[in-house]
Amino acid sequence: MSFPASRIFSRCDLFPEEFSIVVTLRVPSLPPKRNEYLLTVVAEESDLLLLGLRFSPAQLHFLFLREDTAGAWQTRVSFRSPALVDSRWHTLVLAVSAGVFSLTTDCGLPVDIMADVPFPARLSVKGARFFVGSRRRAKGLFTGLVRQLVLLPGSDATPRLCPSRNAPLAVLSIPRVLQALTGKPEDNEVLKYPYETNIRVTLGPQPPCTEVEDAQFWFDASRKGLYLCVGNEWVSVLAAKERLDYVEEHQNLFTNSETLGVEVFRIPQVGLFVATANRKATSAVYKWTEEKFVSYQNIPTHQAQAWRHFTIGKKIFLAVANFEPDEKGQEFSVIYKWSHRKLKFTPYQSIATHSARDWEAFEVDGEHFLAVANHREGDNHNINSVIYKWNPATRLFEANQTIATSGAYDWEFFSVGPYSFLVVANTFNGTSTKVHSHLYIRLLGSFQLFQSFPTFGAADWEVFQIGERIFLAVANSHSYDVEMQVQNDSYVINSVIYELNVTAQAFVKFQDILTCSALDWEFFSVGEDYFLVVANSFDGRTFSVNSIIYRWQGYEGFVAVHSLPTVGCRDWEAFSTTAGAYLIYSSAKEPLSRVLRLRTR
């Protein structure tokens, strides 16, 4: 069981300097060297133990983190265990005050320890989590019974529950439901409550769930999940925490030509789809059928760069960004609408664009918008990109605002509280890829410049949130200037993750990650873990470059955990089905997209 520390420390993040921990427990016999945790406070991001109560057959340990100018270190105060592991009830009071650590067992004489290192006066529990019966890991799980567990600020709480007529079951504060339990002592033993019944738990591979196993438990040790047999079905009682174990190839999706972008989406009551933006004259939509994507619909396009799925009310749309003109020499990108009768996408609206790279669909205050990233007009990269607004009367998108861009490659929309933002990835200004990309905020009915970022051939922005923290990751593709000599290593450059600093009202650099002509970031989660995968496309010599999955490691930032062989990787999309989690990536160098299965443990 766990809960955020903020649930207790709602007004102040500091743990009290003086306090008592009262616990009534019953512990079976333990192996000589086994340690189990009763209570811990753990920093969620760093997994650092801030405070803990741990016991073994021989000792009870109180652990806490101490910091000074020299750094931080773990401190332990140990009491010789007063025969806790005897399958009997015991009530312990651990009192901490002014450098004195006192342990009272069953209202007996206290054992005092004057520690060389006192408990810290300012132990912050901001962003921490309480764990009862564990240390957030499988190792050291508590295996006994707990009747009461109380954290009480102030000095020694022993006088509040001692003396007691039944010292091993001395009560300070226990749940009302346990106070109401009745029963009769047997053989001069303390009460055996109804929840102390003999329950059989099966370990190992999944056993059958029949009438014989009904109301029995099965513990899946490999996934750390507890299940109860109910009506011929194993029902999850303690959810297994999924962790990414490895990535395997699931499907080679052969496409009409090289694929520059993929868009995964769902249509209610119809299914899961992926649209591929293909270099040649036909792009395609595939439907997820029997655990793989199969061809569903071909759509004529003109060197399509990206698809964007969005909805307005019950209407379902799919917009394609066309990079080249059509047979008549006209440049149009097209919005398609889903026909519920034909079960196909049909042309709905054509919009004049200029070497369009991307569409971004978003909603602000109930109004719907589409932003197009116009890359260039002829040889001129410094042109306007356009934001279109849905007109409910005409049921069409109409130009609403133009924004000057330089080789625009991508738009990304996001909200922070009541504020709406739109960030553009500027790639090239005609002479250099060293060009600022801009973040805009919507004020008074239009987007206005909020912040500028130095970027190098920026090809993609990815916004994501971890807890209450908001991040922006930019994919830098190339460091180039017409005045400099072309260098192969100009493609191997840092892409950057920025974090929103609310106090400064700006995004500040959080982490640099070395990438190889990065064209896309994709954020996803597996269980309680967070990941970023980058589309590495070219290292200056070859398009056969590994793309990397990075795992969030708290204060360490993102750390590489999986290397995936890719060829001219252009775009990543994460999706999930009832069968599991997947990634799909497109290749700009071969008519093949690949679906990868994320295997968990």
Side-chain angles (χ1 to χ4, degrees):
M1 184 179 76
S2 70
F3 54 89
S6 58
R7 189 174 298 176
I8 296 178
F9 299 94
S10 58
R11 297 181 179 273
C12 178
D13 295 324
L14 298 180
F15 203 91
E17 187 178 3
E18 294 187 344
F19 60 92
S20 293
I21 298 175
V22 180
V23 58
T24 300
L25 75 169
R26 179 176 177 177
V27 183
S29 59
L30 293 178
K33 295 184 179 181
R34 182 179 176 86
N35 283 271
E36 294 186 352
Y37 288 92
L38 282 168
L39 174 71
T40 58
V41 182
V42 180
E44 287 206 81
E45 293 182 350
S46 63
D47 200 40
L48 198 63
L49 182 69
L50 305 180
L51 178 148
L53 193 59
R54 187 182 75 195
F55 69 93
S56 66
Q59 291 183 308
L60 180 77
H61 308 285
F62 177 61
L63 316 167
F64 59 89
L65 186 71
R66 182 76 190 187
E67 295 183 275
D68 62 15
T69 55
W73 69 93
Q74 201 81 61
T75 300
R76 182 176 68 189
V77 178
S78 299
F79 299 87
R80 290 192 177 278
S81 179
L84 292 180
V85 291
D86 57 1
S87 296
R88 296 173 180 268
W89 287 104
H90 296 283
T91 295
L92 312 178
V93 181
L94 174 68
V96 177
S97 63
V100 179
F101 300 84
S102 177
L103 178 66
T104 302
T105 304
D106 297 339
C107 292
L109 294 175
V111 177
D112 297 333
I113 294 179
M114 300 289 292
D116 296 331
V117 180
F119 188 80
R122 299 182 64 82
L123 178 63
S124 174
V125 292
K126 184 176 182 179
R129 195 171 187 88
F130 277 81
F131 289 84
V132 178
S134 80
R135 190 243 180 272
R136 199 187 186 181
R137 300 172 181 170
K139 186 177 180 181
L141 291 175
F142 179 66
T143 57
L145 296 171
V146 174
R147 188 168 183 257
Q148 72 175 337
L149 179 59
V150 183
L151 171 63
L152 191 70
S155 56
D156 191 354
T158 305
R160 299 185 60 171
L161 67 164
C162 296
S164 171
R165 294 177 61 184
N166 191 357
L169 286 171
V171 173
L172 177 62
S173 175
I174 67 171
R176 184 175 299 176
V177 65
L178 295 185
Q179 292 178 351
L181 291 176
T182 59
K184 295 182 178 180
E186 296 180 4
D187 300 326
N188 296 321
E189 293 286 341
V190 297
L191 291 178
K192 283 192 174 182
Y193 294 106
Y195 59 80
E196 295 179 49
T197 57
N198 292 321
I199 297 177
R200 187 178 69 183
V201 180
T202 303
L203 297 176
Q206 181 173 330
C209 177
T210 64
E211 292 183 4
V212 177
E213 291 81 18
D214 191 47
Q216 296 299 322
F217 287 94
W218 162 54
F219 183 72
D220 185 351
S222 63
R223 299 183 64 236
K224 302 176 181 63
L226 184 64
Y227 301 85
L228 176 67
C229 180
V230 179
N232 299 323
E233 182 181 355
W234 290 107
V235 178
S236 175
V237 176
L238 179 64
K241 292 183 178 180
E242 289 189 323
R243 298 207 67 180
L244 180 60
D245 191 13
Y246 62 94
V247 180
E248 67 178 7
E249 287 201 16
H250 180 76
Q251 180 187 3
N252 287 331
L253 180 62
F254 292 96
T255 52
N256 297 325
S257 60
E258 299 92 333
T259 303
L260 304 178
V262 289
E263 176 84 342
V264 178
F265 57 95
R266 294 181 186 274
I267 297 178
Q269 284 82 50
V270 182
L272 176 73
F273 296 85
V274 63
T276 60
N278 297 119
R279 186 186 299 276
K280 294 186 178 178
T282 303
S283 294
V285 176
Y286 301 84
K287 184 180 180 182
W288 187 259
T289 306
E290 295 181 354
E291 301 304 317
K292 64 180 181 179
F293 284 113
V294 298
S295 180
Y296 186 82
Q297 181 182 359
N298 286 325
I299 299 177
T301 54
H302 303 281
Q303 200 174 131
Q305 301 291 300
W307 287 99
R308 184 66 64 215
H309 164 263
F310 62 97
T311 61
I312 299 177
K314 294 182 179 180
K315 301 179 183 68
I316 300 168
F317 296 97
L318 197 58
V320 64
N322 284 323
F323 193 75
E324 294 292 339
D326 59 19
E327 297 81 2
K328 299 179 181 179
Q330 298 174 323
E331 281 193 63
F332 287 102
S333 292
V334 183
I335 301 171
Y336 294 84
K337 181 176 177 289
W338 177 257
S339 169
H340 292 280
R341 182 176 62 85
K342 297 180 180 179
L343 296 180
K344 299 281 186 181
F345 284 99
T346 58
Y348 185 81
Q349 182 181 359
S350 294
I351 295 178
T353 53
H354 301 289
S355 298
R357 288 284 193 183
D358 179 59
W359 284 107
E360 179 75 346
F362 56 94
E363 181 181 351
V364 178
D365 297 330
E367 297 181 314
H368 297 271
F369 298 85
L370 268 179
V372 65
N374 284 326
H375 186 69
R376 60 177 169 82
E377 187 173 3
D379 293 330
N380 182 18
H381 290 78
N382 300 304
I383 61 174
N384 286 333
S385 291
V386 185
I387 300 172
Y388 297 88
K389 180 180 176 182
W390 176 258
N391 185 331
T394 63
R395 297 183 182 181
L396 294 173
F397 281 97
E398 301 171 353
N400 177 258
Q401 182 180 356
T402 59
I403 295 179
T405 54
S406 299
Y409 216 104
D410 178 64
W411 284 108
E412 182 83 353
F413 173 84
F414 62 97
S415 298
V416 179
Y419 300 103
S420 299
F421 295 89
L422 196 59
V423 61
V424 65
N426 284 324
T427 304
F428 186 60
N429 63 8
T431 60
S432 176
T433 62
K434 300 177 182 178
V435 57
H436 281 82
S437 293
H438 303 296
L439 174 65
Y440 300 88
I441 184 172
R442 188 168 176 82
L443 296 172
L444 302 176
S446 66
F447 284 95
Q448 303 177 25
L449 183 63
F450 180 80
Q451 185 177 353
S452 297
F453 304 88
T455 53
F456 299 86
D460 178 65
W461 284 101
E462 179 81 352
V463 65
F464 56 94
Q465 185 168 343
I466 299 177
E468 297 181 355
R469 303 170 68 178
I470 298 171
F471 297 89
L472 264 178
V474 63
N476 286 323
S477 66
H478 191 195
S479 179
Y480 167 78
D481 193 292
V482 293
E483 298 180 356
M484 64 177 279
Q485 188 174 1
V486 177
Q487 298 176 353
N488 287 340
D489 61 0
S490 61
Y491 295 93
V492 183
I493 56 177
N494 281 330
S495 292
V496 185
I497 301 173
Y498 298 89
E499 181 179 4
L500 178 62
N501 185 316
V502 178
T503 303
Q505 295 187 356
F507 281 89
V508 297
K509 182 184 287 190
F510 173 77
Q511 183 178 2
D512 286 320
I513 296 181
L514 193 65
T515 53
C516 301
S517 192
L519 296 180
D520 183 54
W521 284 109
E522 178 76 359
F523 176 77
F524 64 97
S525 61
V526 176
E528 296 182 358
D529 291 329
Y530 301 100
F531 299 89
L532 273 175
V533 59
V534 65
N536 284 327
S537 66
F538 185 60
D539 65 1
R541 293 173 294 274
T542 178
F543 293 98
S544 297
V545 184
N546 286 349
S547 294
I548 310 297
I549 296 178
Y550 300 86
R551 176 187 280 129
W552 172 252
Q553 296 288 86
Y555 292 115
E556 297 179 41
F558 284 91
V559 177
V561 291
H562 293 280
S563 183
L564 309 172
T566 54
V567 179
C569 187
R570 182 65 179 265
D571 192 22
W572 284 101
E573 281 275 290
F575 67 96
S576 61
T577 71
T578 54
Y582 301 84
L583 289 172
I584 181 173
Y585 80 85
S586 63
S587 170
K589 292 300 172 182
E590 56 184 3
L592 178 68
S593 292
R594 286 187 167 90
V595 181
L596 307 178
R597 178 79 178 267
L598 303 177
R599 291 294 186 179
T600 58
R601 56 179 170 84

